[in-house]
Amino acid sequence: MTPYPDSDPAAGPLPVGVDGPQDAPGSRQETGAASPDSAIPPPLDQPGGTPHPPATSAGSAATAASLLELAFTELQSRRAGLLAEIAGLEQQRDRIRQEIGAHAIGQSELIANRVKGFQSYLVGALQDLAAAAEQAELVVAPLVVQPSPLDQAATAAEAVSAPAVAGQFSQDDDLIRGALARYGGQPDFYADPWKLRRTLEPAGAALLEEWFLNQGGRGAQPSGGSRNRNVLVAAAAIAVLGELYGDRFQTLVLAGQPERLGEWRRGLQDCLGLEREDFGPTSGIVLFERAEALIERADRLEERGELPFIVVDAGEAAVAVPVLQFPLWLAFAATPGEIASEEDLY
């Protein structure tokens, strides 16, 4: 029995390229054995592996969209509510502003005018006080001896025999009437200081003509209805006296309230083209709140040989008796309407 060639123990391994016993093609498939590589799925991190999306991703996206839409709708409703509330608050603010403006504008203007007038008066009074303090002379007061009744009788007789001031003004009849007629024309806004820069009304001209020529510069006249008109009349009288006496007289204004004095200061500045320096103890116009101080100042002026011109505001209830002794004074008598308005203001 001939042994197979491959069973020869002496035979070595088959050379490369020599066909040996091999499995027939498709033998592994026929046997039904699975390949180890084909039984294990490829890992996900390998290039060949592709992960499949989870089955619930579509449902999650729909739920998120519905939540966003619900939140957006709620925000819109809140925004609409806030806008409506803001509009209501704005309407309430506008209504409150209108009420405040309707009720407080008159009082605020009145308070502002009073404060402005008091400020002007206070500044002028402080300047006057400083000037008076600088010029005050600390000397021993002279001894005043009370005159006897005989001396008083002699003085009264001399006063009776003295010529009246009306006679002096009657000699200047043409000058006074000419000045009053000139003041009734067009206003001269660029006139020199102490000249009237405003137009004098016919009623004011008639009042001054009566005061100069018939009353002799001493007496009361009816008020013009407002303090501004009275200031204009007084300014015209100061301008006429300036033409008659030059700078040998001084105007003394009496008004019982700082606000009134402030109006007199501003009015005279505007009508006569004056500056703040023209108001003071050594200047042309001095403002007084008390009659006692005015009378003392007028006495000093007469002692120096100067002429005081006293103007009494319409707000004063009465003219002090010592004022009547001076040669030049003009008092404005207020109407009942002016008295009532003054009581409402002060």
Side-chain angles (χ1 to χ4, degrees):
M1 185 173 196
T2 304
Y4 289 100
D6 53 358
S7 62
D8 187 0
L14 294 178
V16 179
V18 178
D19 294 336
Q22 298 179 353
D23 295 333
S27 59
R28 294 184 180 180
Q29 288 79 6
E30 293 175 356
T31 58
S35 174
D37 296 336
S38 61
I40 301 174
L44 295 179
D45 54 354
Q46 291 183 0
T50 303
H52 296 284
T56 61
S57 60
S60 301
T63 303
S66 62
L67 291 176
L68 289 176
E69 184 177 1
L70 180 61
F72 182 70
T73 304
E74 184 178 357
L75 289 176
Q76 282 185 335
S77 63
R78 289 185 180 179
R79 180 176 179 272
L82 291 176
L83 291 177
E85 186 177 356
I86 291 172
L89 292 176
E90 290 180 349
Q91 293 178 359
Q92 185 178 3
R93 178 200 61 191
D94 297 338
R95 184 171 64 256
I96 293 174
R97 286 181 177 177
Q98 292 177 359
E99 293 178 357
I100 292 175
H103 292 84
I105 184 170
Q107 294 295 330
S108 61
E109 290 181 357
L110 177 61
I111 294 173
N113 292 333
R114 295 182 63 181
V115 171
K116 184 176 180 181
F118 180 74
Q119 181 182 5
S120 178
Y121 166 73
L122 184 60
V123 172
L126 291 176
Q127 291 180 350
D128 298 344
L129 182 61
E134 293 178 356
Q135 298 177 2
E137 297 179 0
L138 301 178
V139 297
V140 180
L143 179 63
V144 178
V145 180
Q146 183 70 22
S148 65
L150 297 177
D151 294 336
Q152 293 180 356
T155 304
E158 292 178 358
V160 172
S161 62
V165 183
Q168 297 178 2
F169 284 139
S170 62
Q171 296 175 0
D172 300 317
D173 186 2
D174 296 336
L175 188 150
I176 293 173
R177 284 195 171 93
L180 295 178
R182 187 169 63 254
Y183 296 157
Q186 294 294 329
D188 187 4
F189 298 106
Y190 301 100
D192 295 334
W194 302 101
K195 303 293 183 181
L196 190 65
R197 296 187 175 187
R198 294 290 181 266
T199 300
L200 182 64
E201 299 178 353
L207 184 150
L208 286 179
E209 185 175 351
E210 171 71 17
W211 182 74
F212 272 111
L213 302 179
N214 296 334
Q215 293 183 328
R218 301 176 69 253
Q221 289 293 329
S223 173
S226 66
R227 185 166 288 107
N228 291 332
R229 292 179 179 176
N230 296 340
V231 170
L232 178 60
V233 171
I238 293 172
V240 173
L241 292 175
E243 295 184 11
L244 293 175
Y245 297 104
D247 56 354
R248 291 182 294 109
F249 80 101
Q250 190 175 44
T251 302
L252 311 179
V253 179
L254 176 62
Q257 295 290 339
E259 295 83 359
R260 299 172 185 171
L261 293 176
E263 293 181 16
W264 274 97
R265 180 191 293 272
R266 293 191 299 272
L268 293 176
Q269 282 181 344
D270 179 68
C271 294
L272 297 176
L274 305 180
E275 301 293 338
R276 185 174 294 276
E277 292 76 11
D278 296 320
F279 296 84
T282 59
S283 56
I285 299 177
V286 188
L287 306 176
F288 293 93
E289 190 175 351
R290 297 182 299 105
E292 294 79 5
L294 182 144
I295 295 169
E296 182 179 358
R297 179 64 182 175
D299 289 335
R300 292 180 180 178
L301 288 174
E302 285 191 336
E303 291 176 359
R304 295 204 302 258
E306 298 182 7
L307 184 64
F309 171 44
I310 301 174
V311 179
V312 182
D313 182 69
E316 296 298 315
V319 179
V321 175
V323 174
L324 306 180
Q325 67 180 341
F326 297 104
L328 288 177
W329 60 272
L330 173 60
F332 293 97
T335 61
E338 286 183 271
I339 295 175
S341 62
E342 289 287 339
E343 291 178 354
D344 293 339
L345 290 176
Y346 303 101

